[in-house]
PDB file of all heavy atoms in Angstrom:
ATOM      1  N   VAL R  18    -283.403  59.747  59.901  1.00  0.00           N
ATOM      2  CA  VAL R  18    -282.095  59.393  59.294  1.00  0.00           C
ATOM      3  C   VAL R  18    -282.190  59.300  57.800  1.00  0.00           C
ATOM      4  O   VAL R  18    -281.353  59.831  57.051  1.00  0.00           O
ATOM      5  CB  VAL R  18    -281.534  58.139  59.962  1.00  0.00           C
ATOM      6  CG1 VAL R  18    -280.201  57.712  59.308  1.00  0.00           C
ATOM      7  CG2 VAL R  18    -281.306  58.296  61.445  1.00  0.00           C
ATOM      8  N   ALA R  19    -283.226  58.579  57.325  1.00  0.00           N
ATOM      9  CA  ALA R  19    -283.397  58.388  55.883  1.00  0.00           C
ATOM     10  C   ALA R  19    -283.698  59.738  55.228  1.00  0.00           C
ATOM     11  O   ALA R  19    -283.139  60.012  54.160  1.00  0.00           O
ATOM     12  CB  ALA R  19    -284.568  57.389  55.609  1.00  0.00           C
ATOM     13  N   ILE R  20    -284.580  60.521  55.841  1.00  0.00           N
ATOM     14  CA  ILE R  20    -284.949  61.833  55.216  1.00  0.00           C
ATOM     15  C   ILE R  20    -283.721  62.691  55.032  1.00  0.00           C
ATOM     16  O   ILE R  20    -283.495  63.310  54.039  1.00  0.00           O
ATOM     17  CB  ILE R  20    -286.032  62.503  56.121  1.00  0.00           C
ATOM     18  CG1 ILE R  20    -287.341  61.804  55.945  1.00  0.00           C
ATOM     19  CG2 ILE R  20    -286.160  63.991  55.716  1.00  0.00           C
ATOM     20  CD1 ILE R  20    -288.409  62.291  56.911  1.00  0.00           C
ATOM     21  N   GLN R  21    -282.921  62.717  56.054  1.00  0.00           N
ATOM     22  CA  GLN R  21    -281.708  63.527  56.036  1.00  0.00           C
ATOM     23  C   GLN R  21    -280.754  63.104  54.884  1.00  0.00           C
ATOM     24  O   GLN R  21    -280.171  63.880  54.152  1.00  0.00           O
ATOM     25  CB  GLN R  21    -280.956  63.515  57.374  1.00  0.00           C
ATOM     26  CG  GLN R  21    -279.782  64.447  57.434  1.00  0.00           C
ATOM     27  CD  GLN R  21    -279.143  64.433  58.817  1.00  0.00           C
ATOM     28  OE1 GLN R  21    -279.190  63.454  59.490  1.00  0.00           O
ATOM     29  NE2 GLN R  21    -278.547  65.570  59.156  1.00  0.00           N
ATOM     30  N   LEU R  22    -280.675  61.739  54.726  1.00  0.00           N
ATOM     31  CA  LEU R  22    -279.811  61.241  53.635  1.00  0.00           C
ATOM     32  C   LEU R  22    -280.341  61.532  52.283  1.00  0.00           C
ATOM     33  O   LEU R  22    -279.661  61.980  51.368  1.00  0.00           O
ATOM     34  CB  LEU R  22    -279.714  59.743  53.820  1.00  0.00           C
ATOM     35  CG  LEU R  22    -278.770  58.961  52.800  1.00  0.00           C
ATOM     36  CD1 LEU R  22    -277.384  59.552  52.759  1.00  0.00           C
ATOM     37  CD2 LEU R  22    -278.715  57.472  53.101  1.00  0.00           C
ATOM     38  N   TRP R  23    -281.653  61.356  52.099  1.00  0.00           N
ATOM     39  CA  TRP R  23    -282.281  61.659  50.810  1.00  0.00           C
ATOM     40  C   TRP R  23    -282.096  63.163  50.484  1.00  0.00           C
ATOM     41  O   TRP R  23    -281.744  63.511  49.397  1.00  0.00           O
ATOM     42  CB  TRP R  23    -283.766  61.334  50.821  1.00  0.00           C
ATOM     43  CG  TRP R  23    -284.078  59.878  50.698  1.00  0.00           C
ATOM     44  CD1 TRP R  23    -284.461  59.023  51.730  1.00  0.00           C
ATOM     45  CD2 TRP R  23    -283.957  59.016  49.529  1.00  0.00           C
ATOM     46  NE1 TRP R  23    -284.659  57.787  51.227  1.00  0.00           N
ATOM     47  CE2 TRP R  23    -284.335  57.727  49.947  1.00  0.00           C
ATOM     48  CE3 TRP R  23    -283.544  59.242  48.243  1.00  0.00           C
ATOM     49  CZ2 TRP R  23    -284.339  56.607  49.013  1.00  0.00           C
ATOM     50  CZ3 TRP R  23    -283.542  58.197  47.343  1.00  0.00           C
ATOM     51  CH2 TRP R  23    -283.919  56.845  47.751  1.00  0.00           C
ATOM     52  N   GLN R  24    -282.338  63.994  51.447  1.00  0.00           N
ATOM     53  CA  GLN R  24    -282.283  65.465  51.271  1.00  0.00           C
ATOM     54  C   GLN R  24    -280.868  65.883  50.915  1.00  0.00           C
ATOM     55  O   GLN R  24    -280.633  66.715  50.022  1.00  0.00           O
ATOM     56  CB  GLN R  24    -282.739  66.235  52.470  1.00  0.00           C
ATOM     57  CG  GLN R  24    -284.253  66.153  52.618  1.00  0.00           C
ATOM     58  CD  GLN R  24    -284.724  66.842  53.897  1.00  0.00           C
ATOM     59  OE1 GLN R  24    -283.964  67.003  54.870  1.00  0.00           O
ATOM     60  NE2 GLN R  24    -285.994  67.118  53.934  1.00  0.00           N
ATOM     61  N   ARG R  25    -279.885  65.310  51.541  1.00  0.00           N
ATOM     62  CA  ARG R  25    -278.448  65.677  51.260  1.00  0.00           C
ATOM     63  C   ARG R  25    -278.054  65.251  49.803  1.00  0.00           C
ATOM     64  O   ARG R  25    -277.450  65.996  49.102  1.00  0.00           O
ATOM     65  CB  ARG R  25    -277.542  64.975  52.262  1.00  0.00           C
ATOM     66  CG  ARG R  25    -277.574  65.616  53.595  1.00  0.00           C
ATOM     67  CD  ARG R  25    -276.758  64.791  54.629  1.00  0.00           C
ATOM     68  NE  ARG R  25    -276.379  65.742  55.650  1.00  0.00           N
ATOM     69  CZ  ARG R  25    -275.125  66.169  55.902  1.00  0.00           C
ATOM     70  NH1 ARG R  25    -274.195  65.734  55.133  1.00  0.00           N
ATOM     71  NH2 ARG R  25    -274.902  66.977  56.956  1.00  0.00           N
ATOM     72  N   LEU R  26    -278.520  64.039  49.438  1.00  0.00           N
ATOM     73  CA  LEU R  26    -278.143  63.613  48.063  1.00  0.00           C
ATOM     74  C   LEU R  26    -278.976  64.401  47.021  1.00  0.00           C
ATOM     75  O   LEU R  26    -278.416  64.709  45.951  1.00  0.00           O
ATOM     76  CB  LEU R  26    -278.307  62.125  47.971  1.00  0.00           C
ATOM     77  CG  LEU R  26    -277.183  61.420  48.630  1.00  0.00           C
ATOM     78  CD1 LEU R  26    -277.485  59.977  48.882  1.00  0.00           C
ATOM     79  CD2 LEU R  26    -275.849  61.422  47.832  1.00  0.00           C
ATOM     80  N   PHE R  27    -280.210  64.729  47.268  1.00  0.00           N
ATOM     81  CA  PHE R  27    -280.981  65.513  46.328  1.00  0.00           C
ATOM     82  C   PHE R  27    -280.399  66.886  46.236  1.00  0.00           C
ATOM     83  O   PHE R  27    -280.564  67.610  45.228  1.00  0.00           O
ATOM     84  CB  PHE R  27    -282.439  65.525  46.668  1.00  0.00           C
ATOM     85  CG  PHE R  27    -283.154  64.390  46.048  1.00  0.00           C
ATOM     86  CD1 PHE R  27    -283.530  63.285  46.833  1.00  0.00           C
ATOM     87  CD2 PHE R  27    -283.523  64.320  44.749  1.00  0.00           C
ATOM     88  CE1 PHE R  27    -284.155  62.162  46.296  1.00  0.00           C
ATOM     89  CE2 PHE R  27    -284.176  63.282  44.182  1.00  0.00           C
ATOM     90  CZ  PHE R  27    -284.530  62.204  44.972  1.00  0.00           C
ATOM     91  N   GLY R  28    -279.818  67.425  47.285  1.00  0.00           N
ATOM     92  CA  GLY R  28    -279.225  68.695  47.360  1.00  0.00           C
ATOM     93  C   GLY R  28    -278.160  68.907  46.335  1.00  0.00           C
ATOM     94  O   GLY R  28    -277.891  69.998  45.830  1.00  0.00           O
ATOM     95  N   VAL R  29    -277.500  67.774  45.990  1.00  0.00           N
ATOM     96  CA  VAL R  29    -276.428  67.804  44.915  1.00  0.00           C
ATOM     97  C   VAL R  29    -276.937  68.376  43.604  1.00  0.00           C
ATOM     98  O   VAL R  29    -276.229  69.037  42.930  1.00  0.00           O
ATOM     99  CB  VAL R  29    -275.857  66.366  44.791  1.00  0.00           C
ATOM    100  CG1 VAL R  29    -274.901  66.297  43.587  1.00  0.00           C
ATOM    101  CG2 VAL R  29    -275.111  65.936  45.996  1.00  0.00           C
ATOM    102  N   CYS R  30    -278.152  68.051  43.346  1.00  0.00           N
ATOM    103  CA  CYS R  30    -278.759  68.535  42.085  1.00  0.00           C
ATOM    104  C   CYS R  30    -279.813  69.665  42.235  1.00  0.00           C
ATOM    105  O   CYS R  30    -280.626  69.913  41.410  1.00  0.00           O
ATOM    106  CB  CYS R  30    -279.334  67.385  41.269  1.00  0.00           C
ATOM    107  SG  CYS R  30    -280.509  66.364  42.128  1.00  0.00           S
ATOM    108  N   ASP R  31    -279.709  70.314  43.417  1.00  0.00           N
ATOM    109  CA  ASP R  31    -280.636  71.422  43.710  1.00  0.00           C
ATOM    110  C   ASP R  31    -282.139  71.059  43.608  1.00  0.00           C
ATOM    111  O   ASP R  31    -282.857  71.867  43.019  1.00  0.00           O
ATOM    112  CB  ASP R  31    -280.330  72.664  42.929  1.00  0.00           C
ATOM    113  CG  ASP R  31    -278.921  73.218  43.278  1.00  0.00           C
ATOM    114  OD1 ASP R  31    -278.544  73.125  44.397  1.00  0.00           O
ATOM    115  OD2 ASP R  31    -278.245  73.718  42.356  1.00  0.00           O
ATOM    116  N   VAL R  32    -282.487  69.873  44.134  1.00  0.00           N
ATOM    117  CA  VAL R  32    -283.900  69.504  44.001  1.00  0.00           C
ATOM    118  C   VAL R  32    -284.445  69.336  45.463  1.00  0.00           C
ATOM    119  O   VAL R  32    -283.767  68.756  46.270  1.00  0.00           O
ATOM    120  CB  VAL R  32    -284.028  68.152  43.300  1.00  0.00           C
ATOM    121  CG1 VAL R  32    -285.396  67.571  43.423  1.00  0.00           C
ATOM    122  CG2 VAL R  32    -283.633  68.265  41.780  1.00  0.00           C
ATOM    123  N   LYS R  33    -285.615  69.898  45.674  1.00  0.00           N
ATOM    124  CA  LYS R  33    -286.189  69.773  46.973  1.00  0.00           C
ATOM    125  C   LYS R  33    -286.915  68.352  46.985  1.00  0.00           C
ATOM    126  O   LYS R  33    -287.639  68.002  46.042  1.00  0.00           O
ATOM    127  CB  LYS R  33    -287.303  70.850  47.221  1.00  0.00           C
ATOM    128  CG  LYS R  33    -286.705  72.219  47.196  1.00  0.00           C
ATOM    129  CD  LYS R  33    -285.960  72.427  48.438  1.00  0.00           C
ATOM    130  CE  LYS R  33    -285.481  73.898  48.551  1.00  0.00           C
ATOM    131  NZ  LYS R  33    -284.159  74.092  48.946  1.00  0.00           N
ATOM    132  N   TRP R  34    -286.650  67.583  48.023  1.00  0.00           N
ATOM    133  CA  TRP R  34    -287.180  66.185  48.016  1.00  0.00           C
ATOM    134  C   TRP R  34    -288.319  66.117  49.096  1.00  0.00           C
ATOM    135  O   TRP R  34    -288.130  66.530  50.215  1.00  0.00           O
ATOM    136  CB  TRP R  34    -286.099  65.268  48.374  1.00  0.00           C
ATOM    137  CG  TRP R  34    -286.503  63.834  48.354  1.00  0.00           C
ATOM    138  CD1 TRP R  34    -286.764  63.046  47.362  1.00  0.00           C
ATOM    139  CD2 TRP R  34    -286.798  63.017  49.591  1.00  0.00           C
ATOM    140  NE1 TRP R  34    -287.167  61.792  47.770  1.00  0.00           N
ATOM    141  CE2 TRP R  34    -287.186  61.734  49.132  1.00  0.00           C
ATOM    142  CE3 TRP R  34    -286.682  63.267  50.995  1.00  0.00           C
ATOM    143  CZ2 TRP R  34    -287.486  60.718  49.995  1.00  0.00           C
ATOM    144  CZ3 TRP R  34    -287.021  62.291  51.810  1.00  0.00           C
ATOM    145  CH2 TRP R  34    -287.392  60.986  51.369  1.00  0.00           C
ATOM    146  N   GLY R  35    -289.416  65.460  48.716  1.00  0.00           N
ATOM    147  CA  GLY R  35    -290.459  65.149  49.603  1.00  0.00           C
ATOM    148  C   GLY R  35    -290.714  63.635  49.551  1.00  0.00           C
ATOM    149  O   GLY R  35    -290.740  63.080  48.384  1.00  0.00           O
ATOM    150  N   ALA R  36    -290.682  62.939  50.640  1.00  0.00           N
ATOM    151  CA  ALA R  36    -290.839  61.493  50.614  1.00  0.00           C
ATOM    152  C   ALA R  36    -292.173  61.050  50.054  1.00  0.00           C
ATOM    153  O   ALA R  36    -293.168  61.550  50.424  1.00  0.00           O
ATOM    154  CB  ALA R  36    -290.695  60.932  52.041  1.00  0.00           C
ATOM    155  N   PRO R  37    -292.078  60.103  49.114  1.00  0.00           N
ATOM    156  CA  PRO R  37    -293.339  59.525  48.625  1.00  0.00           C
ATOM    157  C   PRO R  37    -293.972  58.701  49.697  1.00  0.00           C
ATOM    158  O   PRO R  37    -293.290  58.411  50.741  1.00  0.00           O
ATOM    159  CB  PRO R  37    -292.891  58.654  47.402  1.00  0.00           C
ATOM    160  CG  PRO R  37    -291.449  58.413  47.645  1.00  0.00           C
ATOM    161  CD  PRO R  37    -290.922  59.552  48.439  1.00  0.00           C
ATOM    162  N   ARG R  38    -295.151  58.222  49.494  1.00  0.00           N
ATOM    163  CA  ARG R  38    -295.879  57.495  50.598  1.00  0.00           C
ATOM    164  C   ARG R  38    -295.262  56.148  50.912  1.00  0.00           C
ATOM    165  O   ARG R  38    -295.367  55.645  52.031  1.00  0.00           O
ATOM    166  CB  ARG R  38    -297.345  57.424  50.330  1.00  0.00           C
ATOM    167  CG  ARG R  38    -297.712  56.549  49.236  1.00  0.00           C
ATOM    168  CD  ARG R  38    -299.226  56.326  49.085  1.00  0.00           C
ATOM    169  NE  ARG R  38    -299.472  55.457  48.059  1.00  0.00           N
ATOM    170  CZ  ARG R  38    -300.222  55.714  46.948  1.00  0.00           C
ATOM    171  NH1 ARG R  38    -300.734  56.886  46.845  1.00  0.00           N
ATOM    172  NH2 ARG R  38    -300.353  54.856  46.014  1.00  0.00           N
ATOM    173  N   ASP R  39    -294.671  55.487  49.910  1.00  0.00           N
ATOM    174  CA  ASP R  39    -294.086  54.149  50.116  1.00  0.00           C
ATOM    175  C   ASP R  39    -292.936  53.901  49.174  1.00  0.00           C
ATOM    176  O   ASP R  39    -292.652  54.577  48.253  1.00  0.00           O
ATOM    177  CB  ASP R  39    -295.147  53.034  50.037  1.00  0.00           C
ATOM    178  CG  ASP R  39    -295.844  52.988  48.691  1.00  0.00           C
ATOM    179  OD1 ASP R  39    -295.143  53.143  47.671  1.00  0.00           O
ATOM    180  OD2 ASP R  39    -297.099  52.766  48.702  1.00  0.00           O
ATOM    181  N   CYS R  40    -292.181  52.755  49.520  1.00  0.00           N
ATOM    182  CA  CYS R  40    -291.019  52.369  48.732  1.00  0.00           C
ATOM    183  C   CYS R  40    -291.309  52.117  47.319  1.00  0.00           C
ATOM    184  O   CYS R  40    -290.548  52.434  46.376  1.00  0.00           O
ATOM    185  CB  CYS R  40    -290.320  51.267  49.414  1.00  0.00           C
ATOM    186  SG  CYS R  40    -289.541  51.729  50.974  1.00  0.00           S
ATOM    187  N   THR R  41    -292.486  51.502  47.010  1.00  0.00           N
ATOM    188  CA  THR R  41    -292.862  51.143  45.687  1.00  0.00           C
ATOM    189  C   THR R  41    -292.908  52.433  44.843  1.00  0.00           C
ATOM    190  O   THR R  41    -292.387  52.435  43.703  1.00  0.00           O
ATOM    191  CB  THR R  41    -294.222  50.502  45.625  1.00  0.00           C
ATOM    192  OG1 THR R  41    -294.110  49.265  46.397  1.00  0.00           O
ATOM    193  CG2 THR R  41    -294.641  50.080  44.220  1.00  0.00           C
ATOM    194  N   HIS R  42    -293.498  53.448  45.344  1.00  0.00           N
ATOM    195  CA  HIS R  42    -293.595  54.720  44.611  1.00  0.00           C
ATOM    196  C   HIS R  42    -292.182  55.351  44.425  1.00  0.00           C
ATOM    197  O   HIS R  42    -291.950  55.938  43.344  1.00  0.00           O
ATOM    198  CB  HIS R  42    -294.511  55.705  45.354  1.00  0.00           C
ATOM    199  CG  HIS R  42    -295.952  55.426  45.102  1.00  0.00           C
ATOM    200  ND1 HIS R  42    -296.690  54.617  45.948  1.00  0.00           N
ATOM    201  CD2 HIS R  42    -296.793  55.850  44.113  1.00  0.00           C
ATOM    202  CE1 HIS R  42    -297.905  54.526  45.476  1.00  0.00           C
ATOM    203  NE2 HIS R  42    -298.023  55.245  44.433  1.00  0.00           N
ATOM    204  N   MET R  43    -291.364  55.230  45.384  1.00  0.00           N
ATOM    205  CA  MET R  43    -290.035  55.718  45.215  1.00  0.00           C
ATOM    206  C   MET R  43    -289.250  55.084  44.114  1.00  0.00           C
ATOM    207  O   MET R  43    -288.488  55.675  43.295  1.00  0.00           O
ATOM    208  CB  MET R  43    -289.169  55.525  46.510  1.00  0.00           C
ATOM    209  CG  MET R  43    -287.821  56.154  46.548  1.00  0.00           C
ATOM    210  SD  MET R  43    -288.065  58.006  46.500  1.00  0.00           S
ATOM    211  CE  MET R  43    -286.532  58.493  45.781  1.00  0.00           C
ATOM    212  N   LEU R  44    -289.454  53.738  43.948  1.00  0.00           N
ATOM    213  CA  LEU R  44    -288.860  52.980  42.875  1.00  0.00           C
ATOM    214  C   LEU R  44    -289.423  53.365  41.516  1.00  0.00           C
ATOM    215  O   LEU R  44    -288.730  53.163  40.503  1.00  0.00           O
ATOM    216  CB  LEU R  44    -288.986  51.485  43.162  1.00  0.00           C
ATOM    217  CG  LEU R  44    -288.115  51.012  44.315  1.00  0.00           C
ATOM    218  CD1 LEU R  44    -288.555  49.572  44.685  1.00  0.00           C
ATOM    219  CD2 LEU R  44    -286.688  51.078  44.036  1.00  0.00           C
ATOM    220  N   LEU R  45    -290.645  53.836  41.494  1.00  0.00           N
ATOM    221  CA  LEU R  45    -291.346  54.169  40.191  1.00  0.00           C
ATOM    222  C   LEU R  45    -291.136  55.592  39.795  1.00  0.00           C
ATOM    223  O   LEU R  45    -291.553  55.968  38.690  1.00  0.00           O
ATOM    224  CB  LEU R  45    -292.818  53.812  40.316  1.00  0.00           C
ATOM    225  CG  LEU R  45    -293.126  52.305  40.473  1.00  0.00           C
ATOM    226  CD1 LEU R  45    -294.578  52.151  40.749  1.00  0.00           C
ATOM    227  CD2 LEU R  45    -292.575  51.489  39.306  1.00  0.00           C
ATOM    228  N   VAL R  46    -290.574  56.451  40.695  1.00  0.00           N
ATOM    229  CA  VAL R  46    -290.437  57.845  40.377  1.00  0.00           C
ATOM    230  C   VAL R  46    -289.524  57.996  39.167  1.00  0.00           C
ATOM    231  O   VAL R  46    -288.489  57.364  39.088  1.00  0.00           O
ATOM    232  CB  VAL R  46    -289.859  58.592  41.590  1.00  0.00           C
ATOM    233  CG1 VAL R  46    -289.353  59.965  41.199  1.00  0.00           C
ATOM    234  CG2 VAL R  46    -290.785  58.689  42.728  1.00  0.00           C
ATOM    235  N   LYS R  47    -290.006  58.870  38.261  1.00  0.00           N
ATOM    236  CA  LYS R  47    -289.188  59.194  37.013  1.00  0.00           C
ATOM    237  C   LYS R  47    -288.547  60.562  37.289  1.00  0.00           C
ATOM    238  O   LYS R  47    -289.095  61.586  37.026  1.00  0.00           O
ATOM    239  CB  LYS R  47    -290.103  59.277  35.797  1.00  0.00           C
ATOM    240  CG  LYS R  47    -290.809  58.003  35.481  1.00  0.00           C
ATOM    241  CD  LYS R  47    -289.868  56.869  35.160  1.00  0.00           C
ATOM    242  CE  LYS R  47    -290.729  55.647  34.812  1.00  0.00           C
ATOM    243  NZ  LYS R  47    -290.016  54.431  35.011  1.00  0.00           N
ATOM    244  N   PHE R  48    -287.341  60.529  37.874  1.00  0.00           N
ATOM    245  CA  PHE R  48    -286.589  61.710  38.212  1.00  0.00           C
ATOM    246  C   PHE R  48    -285.920  62.228  36.985  1.00  0.00           C
ATOM    247  O   PHE R  48    -285.264  61.512  36.287  1.00  0.00           O
ATOM    248  CB  PHE R  48    -285.656  61.374  39.293  1.00  0.00           C
ATOM    249  CG  PHE R  48    -284.703  62.527  39.727  1.00  0.00           C
ATOM    250  CD1 PHE R  48    -285.216  63.569  40.408  1.00  0.00           C
ATOM    251  CD2 PHE R  48    -283.400  62.525  39.276  1.00  0.00           C
ATOM    252  CE1 PHE R  48    -284.354  64.609  40.762  1.00  0.00           C
ATOM    253  CE2 PHE R  48    -282.575  63.565  39.638  1.00  0.00           C
ATOM    254  CZ  PHE R  48    -283.010  64.582  40.402  1.00  0.00           C
ATOM    255  N   ASP R  49    -286.071  63.547  36.771  1.00  0.00           N
ATOM    256  CA  ASP R  49    -285.395  64.120  35.576  1.00  0.00           C
ATOM    257  C   ASP R  49    -284.421  65.253  35.932  1.00  0.00           C
ATOM    258  O   ASP R  49    -284.069  66.105  35.133  1.00  0.00           O
ATOM    259  CB  ASP R  49    -286.419  64.557  34.590  1.00  0.00           C
ATOM    260  CG  ASP R  49    -287.290  65.692  35.033  1.00  0.00           C
ATOM    261  OD1 ASP R  49    -287.109  66.154  36.266  1.00  0.00           O
ATOM    262  OD2 ASP R  49    -288.184  66.135  34.308  1.00  0.00           O
ATOM    263  N   GLY R  50    -283.996  65.209  37.154  1.00  0.00           N
ATOM    264  CA  GLY R  50    -283.040  66.225  37.654  1.00  0.00           C
ATOM    265  C   GLY R  50    -281.747  66.283  36.926  1.00  0.00           C
ATOM    266  O   GLY R  50    -280.982  67.261  36.849  1.00  0.00           O
TER     267      GLY R  50
END
Side-chain angles (χ1 to χ4, degrees):
V18 175
I20 288 171
Q21 188 176 30
L22 181 57
W23 285 107
Q24 287 175 340
R25 287 172 157 252
L26 284 163
F27 274 100
V29 169
C30 53
D31 293 328
V32 171
K33 301 287 185 221
W34 181 76
R38 69 174 181 239
D39 58 42
C40 291
T41 302
H42 282 90
M43 188 67 205
L44 292 168
L45 297 174
V46 167
K47 302 295 183 207
F48 175 72
D49 63 0

